[in-house]
Amino acid sequence: MTENIKVLNPATGELVEEVTIDTEEDIQAKLEKVADGFNKWKKVNAHERARLLRKWSEKVLEQKEEIARVMTLESGKPLSESLGEVEYATSYIDWFAEEAKRIYGRTVPANTESKRILVTRQPIGVVAAITPWNFPAAMMTRKAAPALAAGCTFIVKPASETPLTTIKLIELAYEAGIPEDVVQYVVNGSGRTVGEIFTDSPLVRKITFTGSTPVGKQLIKQSADSVKHVSMELGGHAPLIITKDADLDIAVPQTIVSKFRNAGQTCICANRVLVAKEIVDEFADRLVREVAKLKVGNGLEEDTQIGPVINGDGFRKVVSQIDDAVEKGAEVLTGNKFDKDDDKGYYFIYPTVLKQVTGEMDIMQEETFGPVLPITVFDTVEEAIDIANNTPFGLAAYFFTNDYRTGTYLHEHLTFGVIGWNDGAPSAAHAPFGGLKESGIGKEGGLEGIEPYLETKYLSIGGLE
C-alpha cells in the first residue's frame, strides 16, 4: 500500500497536492539508475552537456509563471519573490552550462627528459543532494547544474514541505533532453531516512546539503565511513552593521530587503542589526515607518509582501524569541502581532522591530527564521565586529558605511563567507556562495562552484627518450 505526503499551503492550511512517498526500495532503485547513467553521461562531451543545460533553462523560463505559482502555493512566499527565484534558479543553470566548457587540465614540466606529466579533471560520480523548503528551486539548481555540467549524475531529496517545485523542474529537465538516468528526485517524509540511505550507499560519491548545522554535522559523520566528498551550506546568524556615517537612504531599504525577504526565512537574512549609537534613533524611526507599510497576506495576492511562516514549529520558535526579548527589556517598535489558526494550520507574524536588544536575549544567540528585526547599539566599529563575530556561524554579514577605510576594515575583520557592503542582496550565480566556521564546507556558484564535483588525476608518462 502506497503512502503519500500531503503538501499544504502554509497561507491557508489547505491541501495543495498529495505526492507518493518513495520507499527504501524505490530510493535504492533510483540510486542504481543514476549510477548506471553515470557511465554514459560522463562520456558526453562538454559542449553537448552545455547545450542540454541551456535547453533546460529555456524550458524553465517558458513556464516560470506556473512554477512560481506552485512555489507560492507550497512555500507561502509572495508570488513576486517566487518569480524572482525561478529566474535566479535558471541563472545557475546558465552559468554552469558555460562552465562545463571550461573544465581545464594542464601539463606540468617534468623532472627528466624522458617524461611528460599531464593533469586532468574528471567527474566525481553520483551526487546526492538534500535541499531545503525555503528556496526549493534555486537550492536545487545550484547543486544540480554544476553536477551535470561536470559530468556527474544527480539525485535529490527536496524538503517534504515543498517537493512540487523540484518535481516540476526535473520533469522539465527530461523535456529538455537530459536523460532520466542522469537526474532523479526522491520524495520521502523522513530526511533522516534518506540521509542514511545516501550516506550509506557505496554508489554515492558526494553529498551536498543545504540546511541546519546539526543535520549537516550528522551527514558529515555518516559520510566519513565511506570517505564521501561533502559540500555543506549550513546555518547562519547574520549581523548587519550600520555605522555612524552610513547613508540611511540606502541602509534602511536594504536592511528591509535583507531581513524581510521570504518573511525572514532565509539562511543569509539579517538576524542581528547593530547600529552606531549616534544614529540609532533616526535609523529606527525611519526603519519602522517603512516596515509598518509591509503588507502581510497570502502570497498569491498581488500586493502581498510578507507571507506566512512555514509551520507551527517555526511560528512558536519566533514567538518565543520575541517573548524572551520583551521579558528581558526589549522595546517593541512595531509588530508583535499574529494571525494564526492551529486547526487550519496557518501562521502569520507581522513584521516586528525590537529596540534595546542586548546580548543575553535568545534572539541575539539563535537564528530566528522569521520576520523579526532586533536592534542593538555599539560605540565603536571594533565593538561591532566583536559582537558580530561572537557566534559559531559565519555564513553572511552586512555593513553600511560610506567610508572606504571603515568598509575595508570591516571586510577584513568579519569572519563570514558572504559579505554585503551597502548591499542587502549579495547572492549571484557568478559569485562563490558559502560560509565559514560552522556555516559550511565548500562554495556554490562562481568559478569555485564546479570544483566540488570534480576529481583531479595526474598522469606521468615515461620512456619518451
Side-chain angles (χ1 to χ4, degrees), residues 349-422:
I349 299 174
Y350 282 72
T352 300
V353 178
L354 305 175
K355 197 178 177 184
Q356 298 176 351
V357 173
T358 55
E360 72 274 9
M361 298 175 185
D362 290 346
I363 201 166
M364 291 292 285
Q365 304 298 326
E366 303 170 357
E367 187 175 25
T368 301
F369 241 61
V372 184
L373 187 154
I375 297 175
T376 191
V377 299
F378 64 85
D379 289 315
T380 67
V381 170
E382 290 76 15
E383 180 188 4
I385 291 169
D386 287 343
I387 295 170
N389 288 340
N390 186 25
T391 172
F393 304 109
L395 184 53
Y398 308 87
F399 61 80
F400 292 83
T401 178
N402 279 350
D403 187 318
Y404 78 92
R405 292 167 298 184
T406 301
T408 301
Y409 185 81
L410 283 162
H411 171 242
E412 290 178 350
H413 289 83
L414 288 170
T415 52
F416 296 84
V418 178
I419 299 178
W421 179 349
N422 293 342

Side-chain angles (χ1 to χ4, degrees), residues 48-225:
E48 176 63 8
R49 295 199 301 268
R51 185 190 69 80
L52 290 169
L53 285 168
R54 288 195 302 272
K55 188 66 176 177
W56 183 22
S57 175
E58 291 169 6
K59 291 283 186 183
V60 172
L61 289 176
E62 286 170 4
Q63 298 193 34
K64 68 179 181 180
E65 286 83 6
E66 176 58 25
I67 297 168
R69 185 177 179 278
V70 169
M71 194 188 308
T72 291
L73 283 171
E74 65 179 351
S75 75
K77 67 175 59 180
L79 188 58
S80 60
E81 292 189 15
S82 294
L83 282 165
E85 184 181 338
V86 175
E87 293 179 355
Y88 180 50
T90 58
S91 73
Y92 281 98
I93 303 174
D94 294 339
W95 174 261
F96 287 109
E98 296 303 311
E99 290 301 290
K101 296 178 287 185
R102 297 181 177 88
I103 300 172
Y104 301 136
R106 69 184 193 273
T107 60
V108 178
N111 58 330
T112 71
E113 292 78 5
S114 63
K115 290 186 178 182
R116 301 292 184 271
I117 296 174
L118 302 178
V119 177
T120 57
R121 314 300 302 281
Q122 68 178 38
I124 234 168
V126 174
V127 174
I130 301 174
T131 56
W133 57 263
N134 57 339
F135 288 96
M139 297 304 98
M140 192 276 280
T141 61
R142 80 179 186 189
K143 300 176 188 301
L148 300 187
C152 301
T153 51
F154 184 82
I155 186 168
V156 58
K157 192 267 185 223
S160 57
E161 294 90 347
T162 57
L164 303 178
T165 301
T166 294
I167 292 171
K168 181 65 175 174
L169 290 173
I170 290 181
E171 287 174 348
L172 290 173
Y174 298 154
E175 288 186 22
I178 296 173
E180 291 188 22
D181 59 1
V182 170
V183 59
Q184 286 278 321
Y185 63 83
V186 164
V187 177
N188 191 290
S190 171
R192 180 185 295 274
T193 297
V194 178
E196 289 176 352
I197 293 171
F198 283 172
T199 54
D200 287 348
S201 174
L203 301 176
V204 174
R205 289 307 310 143
K206 178 178 175 62
I207 301 289
T208 175
F209 170 73
T210 296
S212 74
T213 294
V215 174
K217 289 179 177 179
Q218 185 61 36
L219 290 170
I220 293 170
K221 291 177 183 177
Q222 291 171 196
S223 298
D225 286 342

Side-chain angles (χ1 to χ4, degrees), residues 33 91 287 355 427:
K33 189 169 188 174
S91 73
L287 181 76
K355 197 178 177 184
S427 299

Side-chain angles (χ1 to χ4, degrees), residues 75-78 81 133-135 256-266 269 294 296-297 304-310 318 347-351 368-372:
S75 75
K77 67 175 59 180
E81 292 189 15
W133 57 263
N134 57 339
F135 288 96
I256 291 171
V257 165
S258 174
K259 173 70 258 185
F260 294 107
R261 184 166 57 107
N262 199 18
Q265 299 171 114
T266 80
C269 73
L294 296 174
V296 177
T304 292
Q305 295 165 288
I306 304 291
V309 295
I310 190 67
V318 176
Y347 303 88
F348 291 88
I349 299 174
Y350 282 72
T368 301
F369 241 61
V372 184

